[in-house]
Amino acid sequence: SFPTRRSSDLIYFVDVIGPDDSCIKIADAYPNAPVIILDHHITSMKYLLGLVLPTNLEIKMNIEHSGAILCYDYFKLNDDLRFYFELVEDYDLWKFNNSQTRAFTEGIRYFNFTTDVKKDAVTTFDRFLNLEKSLIIEKGEKVVSEMFEKINEILTTTPPKNISLTIGDKTFKCKLLMVDSFPNGLNEMGNKIAVMAREEGLDPIGIIMYSSGEVYRASVRSLTDSSMISTFFGGGGHACASAFNCQKSDLEKFVEI
């Protein structure tokens, strides 16, 4: 069942379309309410293509921008903030066109600017606005330096394996690293493994995986579109950054070469 909705409400799906057709189910449940999707995930776009969508469901989707910038432009936020939203996009799309992107991202984590939107989204954002942005970057630079040292240590002591994964008529030859848990700097490590794969003539894809009971959780980072891998296992995400879960029996699909 869905909650009672005021006639003045708008319903937004931000950076996600929801599981099990939830965006379509909600649009059907509230036929007189505008339901707006602001998303940029390539797997979401592929999923929605070809579906019969409710007339009150409006899709604002652009894989060339991040969810942050899509929201910034849609809600017409303060111009003074655009630079920081662009840093978020630079990291989210894995472009790193700005030299401050990594430091800003890790600085955000350092100051714990994460939030439960049901509890404290407004106060968290206000706290970000009131903090000197140069301090965020300064703290982030130190975190980035320590993070890369740790990544190099892990990859030196536990080199990723070269594997082959066949999906339909497509065979990926890339690198896979099994870990005890997802490390700090997961994105950076995945990207570094993808670069290692490219340098060895493999597909530029790095997969990091760990066991969580009977389920194996995997993160995929690449320098090319690798979303097919995550989609195959029921996951999703961006073209070059996605994730999926699989069963132990699925590991036989990853053939060491």
Side-chain angles (χ1 to χ4, degrees), residues 99-108 136-137 139-141 144:
S99 61
Q100 295 182 317
T101 292
R102 283 188 171 90
F104 178 77
T105 302
E106 295 305 324
I108 289 289
I136 296 176
I137 293 174
K139 293 295 184 182
E141 287 174 343
V144 169

Side-chain angles (χ1 to χ4, degrees), residues 85-152:
F85 276 73
E86 288 175 346
L87 289 180
V88 172
E89 174 171 276
D90 198 31
Y91 183 88
D92 196 21
L93 299 186
W94 213 247
K95 291 184 176 180
F96 300 104
N97 292 324
N98 192 305
S99 61
Q100 295 182 317
T101 292
R102 283 188 171 90
F104 178 77
T105 302
E106 295 305 324
I108 289 289
R109 294 192 178 116
Y110 176 88
F111 285 103
N112 196 28
F113 287 121
T114 58
T115 181
D116 181 341
V117 294
K118 295 180 181 178
K119 297 178 181 178
D120 58 359
V122 174
T123 56
T124 298
F125 192 62
D126 285 342
R127 191 161 60 90
F128 165 74
L129 293 179
N130 292 327
L131 185 65
E132 179 59 48
K133 306 306 181 292
S134 61
L135 183 60
I136 296 176
I137 293 174
E138 178 184 332
K139 293 295 184 182
E141 287 174 343
K142 181 178 180 181
V143 173
V144 169
S145 176
E146 294 173 348
M147 180 179 66
F148 273 106
E149 286 182 11
K150 185 63 176 179
I151 288 172
N152 290 334

